[in-house]
Amino acid sequence: GAVVSQHPSWVICKSGTSVKIECRSLDFQATTMFWYRQFPKQSLMLMATSNEGSKATYEQGVEKDKFLINHASLTLSTLTVTSAHPEDSSFYICSAAVVGGNQPQHFGDGTRLSIL
Amino acid sequence: SQQGEEDPQALSIQEGENATMNCSYKTSINNLQWYRQNSGRGLVHLILIRSNEREKHSGRLRVTLDTSKKSSSLLITASRAADTASYFCATTIGDSWGKLQFGAGTQVVVTP
């Protein structure tokens, strides 16, 4: 149980393109989803917290107009990288969780974004 | 900013040996979690240990937590080649429920 599907797994696109990444909880309802960014051989950096039906909360230094997050339902959150540039190239990972203390987050398999 | 620091950064062992990695953190925590990440993949949850617990086991994994020293350790016993991965500790702090702060990770390579 507790499967999180992230799509696409790999994206290569030209500079200036907007890219949408989907994160779905397949067998549970996730009240909260998180988006992370990971550079090669580094740890995960939390970008934003997404709650169903409300605006996302962004971490300091993350541009909300650059990284648009929508959490339309209890099973789907999307991250759109708008007007992507080479410096946005990275590994993006989502996770989903159910409200309640001391519960683990369940992670998607990540999306590798390469901007040419 | 990262809450935790892990050591060693990298660990290379042979199958059958034990692997131990440590995690230190800076502020009071609600719980501490360990995750595994295979190359180019997402994270897999291994163990969650609450702040009032001192030790926890799951299969070949043993986690300890010392809140007085603000540190935790993950022991993998009788390692296998399939254990090759990066291992991260993560903490949830204060009232920021669910927000995880990850350590830098330990890259473990297990050779047959």
Side-chain angles (χ1 to χ4, degrees):
Chain A
V3 176
V4 175
S5 173
Q6 190 171 339
H7 178 80
S9 57
W10 197 298
V11 180
I12 302 175
C13 58
K14 294 181 179 180
S15 185
T17 307
S18 291
V19 178
K20 180 184 283 188
I21 302 170
E22 292 188 349
C23 181
R24 294 181 184 271
S25 56
L26 297 185
D27 51 1
F28 68 102
Q29 292 185 327
T31 49
T32 304
M33 289 186 174
F34 303 88
W35 289 94
Y36 297 86
R37 184 173 181 175
Q38 185 180 32
F39 290 104
K41 297 190 183 300
Q42 294 189 24
S43 188
L44 279 72
M45 298 288 290
L46 179 65
M47 298 174 66
T49 302
S50 168
N51 292 298
E52 185 265 339
S54 63
K55 290 184 178 180
T57 303
Y58 290 82
E59 294 300 301
Q60 192 173 7
V62 178
E63 299 177 60
K64 62 181 179 180
D65 294 331
K66 158 68 80 174
F67 300 101
L68 300 179
I69 292 172
N70 182 275
H71 195 156
S73 75
L74 287 172
T75 59
L76 174 64
S77 176
T78 60
L79 167 68
T80 301
V81 184
T82 61
S83 187
H85 292 283
E87 59 266 28
D88 298 323
S89 298
S90 190
F91 192 55
Y92 293 88
I93 307 175
C94 72
S95 71
V98 177
V99 172
N102 293 319
Q103 295 297 318
Q105 292 181 21
H106 304 285
F107 285 80
D109 267 347
T111 297
R112 184 159 304 283
L113 177 61
S114 297
I115 308 298
L116 305 178
Chain B
S1 61
Q2 288 181 357
Q3 158 82 313
E5 295 186 1
E6 295 179 58
D7 78 271
Q9 288 186 327
L11 183 60
S12 184
I13 56 175
Q14 291 190 319
E15 270 192 328
E17 294 181 337
N18 295 340
T20 300
M21 59 210 86
N22 304 293
C23 167
S24 61
Y25 56 92
K26 299 174 183 174
T27 61
S28 296
I29 59 172
N30 297 324
N31 62 57
L32 186 143
Q33 303 176 42
W34 285 91
Y35 288 84
R36 184 186 75 225
Q37 183 181 34
N38 290 82
S39 181
R41 303 294 297 275
L43 275 68
V44 174
H45 179 259
L46 298 176
I47 287 186
L48 180 151
I49 186 166
R50 295 179 174 82
S51 59
N52 62 352
E53 296 177 313
R54 292 296 167 258
E55 188 171 312
K56 206 160 184 180
H57 297 254
S58 176
R60 295 184 293 113
L61 305 180
R62 173 177 169 254
V63 167
T64 63
L65 179 64
D66 187 335
T67 53
S68 66
K69 295 181 179 178
K70 292 185 169 60
S71 68
S72 174
S73 68
L74 170 66
L75 167 68
I76 305 173
T77 60
S79 62
R80 304 167 182 169
D83 294 328
T84 294
S86 292
Y87 293 81
F88 295 92
C89 67
T91 55
T92 54
I93 56 174
D95 59 0
S96 57
W97 176 87
K99 287 179 63 172
L100 294 178
Q101 295 197 12
F102 284 88
T106 295
Q107 189 171 3
V108 175
V109 175
V110 182
T111 54

